[in-house]
């Protein structure tokens, strides 16, 4: 698995293992032989069975897992099965964009954890950091305690083993500092010693590391109290959408999210709170607010481009020096 799973996030690697295990079990149950001796017709039969019993999203994931497996097997001269010759059925209807909480809803969710307890402080720190940075769940769970040692930025290893700079404000840093003071209490409650893990976020359960299942349940619980259905990834969408609503450039949001392509970033931006009439009034030459905006926007945009260019061209050793930022990273910080 390690040979052809290189560069994948832990959660993605587990997904790959799950789908390949299902394929191997199907081969065994149908007496079709070992995976390295299958014929293309066997693969077609498997994917056809999946298409009849599972969702289109699952079918795509199974197809992706098999493509990755047999591409690697071909490179290693183990098997030669042309998975790309197996065409998937017509694409399923596009799903509606994910529901993104409003700024006011996010503020209420952030205030829900009981910060009088170690677990509540951890929840608050996790929620604040997810919303302030747009981190992926796997990136957050893999953070080491030495990565947040006081500076208001950190380097994370993202999807595809790509490193990027993540910045956040003192609001999130304050809750992280409070959580770090009780981190040992959570570990002790679970019977773990302080040095049992180097990860920043820990659990008082069987395992010392805070796990995705725990993170997902926590986010879902607080969101349900607000009448919403959210996942940790929903907060990444909220981060991008609220920056966009604050008129942050899409290219800036792309850089902060760590996307290679701008098209990917546009999928994270929701317009559900946009007022189209106000947008035209502000940005169209015939709008009543257009001239005032043109007078004020030039200098602001120029300063912002210069600041972002300076941050991302500094030597690596100086990138995480303490900043004078005083708020959670939001749209107003990027104006």
């Amino acid at each position: 698995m390690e040979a052809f799973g290189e560069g994948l996030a832990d959660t993605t690697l587990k997904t790959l293992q799950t789908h390949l295990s299902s394929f191997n079990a199907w081969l065994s149950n149908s007496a079709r032989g070992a995976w390295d001796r299958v014929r293309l017709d066997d693969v077609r039969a498997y994917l056809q069975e999946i298409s009849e019993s599972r969702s289109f999203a699952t079918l795509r994931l199974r197809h992706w897992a098999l493509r990755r497996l047999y591409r690697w097997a071909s490179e290693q001269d183990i098997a030669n099965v042309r998975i790309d010759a197996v065409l998937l059925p017509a694409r399923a209807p596009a799903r509606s964009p994910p529901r993104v909480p409003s700024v006011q809803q996010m503020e209420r969710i952030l205030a829900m954890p009981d910060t009088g307890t170690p677990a509540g402080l951890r929840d608050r720190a996790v929620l604040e950091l997810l919303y302030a940075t747009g981190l992926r769940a796997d990136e957050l769970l893999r953070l080491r305690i030495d990565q947040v040692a006081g500076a208001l930025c950190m380097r994370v290893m993202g999807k595809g083993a790509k490193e990027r700079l993540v910045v956040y404000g003192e609001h999130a840093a304050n809750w992280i500092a409070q959580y770090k003071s009780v981190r040992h209490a959570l570990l002790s409650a679970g019977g773990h010693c302080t040095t049992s893990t180097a990860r920043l976020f820990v659990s008082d359960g069987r395992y010392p590391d805070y796990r995705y299942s725990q993170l997902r349940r926590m986010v879902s619980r607080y969101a349900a109290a607000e009448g919403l259905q959210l996942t940790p990834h929903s907060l990444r969408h909220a981060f991008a959408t609220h920056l966009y609503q604050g008129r942050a450039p899409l290219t800036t949001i792309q850089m902060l999210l760590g996307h290679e392509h701008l098209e990917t970033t546009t999928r994270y931006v929701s317009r559900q709170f946009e007022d189209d009439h106000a947008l035209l009034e502000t940005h169209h030459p015939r709008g009543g607010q257009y001239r005032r905006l043109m007078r004020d926007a030039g200098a602001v945009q120029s300063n912002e481009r210069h600041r972002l260019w300076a941050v991302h061209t500094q030597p690596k050793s100086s990138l995480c020096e303490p900043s004078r930022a005083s708020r959670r990273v939001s749209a107003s910080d990027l104006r």
Side-chain angles (χ1 to χ4, degrees):
M1 176 60 69
E2 294 179 359
F4 64 95
E6 184 177 359
L8 297 180
D10 288 347
T11 52
T12 306
L13 189 57
K14 290 177 182 177
T15 299
L16 180 62
Q17 291 173 327
T18 298
H19 291 307
L20 293 182
S21 295
S22 298
F23 176 59
N24 198 46
W26 181 85
L27 290 174
S28 178
N29 294 335
S30 58
R32 294 176 183 264
W35 68 271
D36 56 342
R37 296 183 181 277
V38 300
R39 299 171 301 168
L40 196 57
D41 287 343
D42 297 327
V43 176
R44 285 196 179 98
Y46 171 70
L47 292 176
Q48 179 62 31
E49 187 173 312
I50 294 300
S51 69
E52 295 172 355
S53 59
R54 302 295 182 89
S55 68
F56 185 78
T58 299
L59 177 63
R60 287 186 61 187
L61 283 172
R62 297 287 169 91
H63 190 261
W64 163 77
L66 293 178
R67 282 206 324 270
R68 193 173 185 97
L69 171 65
Y70 285 108
R71 186 185 304 126
W72 169 81
S74 177
E75 293 171 353
Q76 301 297 319
D77 292 325
I78 298 173
N80 186 21
V81 179
R82 295 180 60 250
I83 298 296
D84 291 332
V86 182
L87 299 178
L88 293 180
R91 186 181 181 89
R95 293 179 297 178
S96 58
R99 175 73 179 177
V100 177
S102 67
V103 174
Q104 293 74 21
Q105 288 172 324
M106 274 306 310
E107 290 291 348
R108 290 193 290 269
I109 290 172
L110 292 172
M112 285 181 185
D114 179 6
T115 53
T117 66
L121 276 174
R122 178 200 57 208
D123 292 352
R124 182 67 185 262
V126 166
L127 292 171
E128 289 281 357
L129 192 57
L130 282 175
Y131 182 49
T133 61
L135 282 172
R136 298 179 178 93
D138 187 68
E139 293 168 348
L140 177 120
L141 295 174
R142 295 177 65 176
L143 285 176
R144 302 183 312 275
I145 195 167
D146 61 328
Q147 286 180 264
V148 285
L152 297 181
C153 63
M154 55 190 168
R155 286 189 169 270
V156 299
M157 192 65 68
K159 186 182 292 186
K162 295 177 182 177
E163 188 181 57
R164 78 176 188 278
L165 180 69
V166 172
V167 295
Y168 55 95
E170 288 190 0
H171 197 91
N174 171 58
W175 288 108
I176 292 173
Q178 292 188 56
Y179 157 71
K180 286 170 69 175
S181 68
V182 300
R183 178 177 176 273
H184 66 282
L186 279 171
L187 287 170
S188 298
H192 311 292
C193 62
T194 307
T195 57
S196 59
T197 178
R199 298 285 170 87
L200 172 63
F201 294 109
V202 298
S203 168
D204 57 358
R206 178 180 177 184
Y207 302 100
D209 293 339
Y210 197 47
R211 301 199 159 204
Y212 178 75
S213 58
Q214 296 171 301
L215 172 63
R216 186 183 178 95
R217 284 197 300 269
M218 182 269 288
V219 172
S220 178
R221 184 173 71 253
Y222 292 126
E226 184 61 27
L228 301 172
Q229 293 182 340
L230 302 179
T231 67
H233 205 69
S234 301
L235 302 192
R236 184 166 161 87
H237 283 266
F239 167 79
T241 295
H242 295 169
L243 283 175
Y244 179 72
Q245 290 169 354
R247 304 297 182 251
L250 272 175
T251 50
T252 300
I253 301 173
Q254 175 191 8
M255 177 184 65
L256 294 173
L257 290 175
H259 288 155
E260 184 175 355
H261 303 291
L262 188 61
E263 179 185 0
T264 307
T265 305
T266 62
R267 299 172 190 162
Y268 280 72
V269 172
S270 169
R271 298 192 66 257
Q272 67 190 59
F273 305 111
E274 290 282 353
D275 183 338
D276 291 336
H277 179 74
L279 193 69
L280 288 171
E281 278 291 299
T282 303
H283 294 283
H284 193 274
R286 291 292 185 263
Q289 301 297 318
Y290 179 75
R291 293 186 180 281
R292 181 187 61 79
L293 181 69
M294 291 299 293
R295 285 199 299 270
D296 298 340
V300 173
Q301 291 182 358
S302 176
N303 290 340
E304 175 56 22
R305 289 194 194 97
H306 177 74
R307 184 183 72 80
L308 288 172
W309 177 86
V311 168
H312 284 268
T313 54
Q314 287 184 61
K316 183 176 179 179
S317 59
S318 64
L319 279 172
C320 287
E321 293 177 356
S323 166
R324 288 178 291 180
S326 60
R327 298 183 303 279
R328 179 190 308 114
V329 172
S330 64
S332 61
D333 294 319
L334 295 173
R335 292 175 184 168

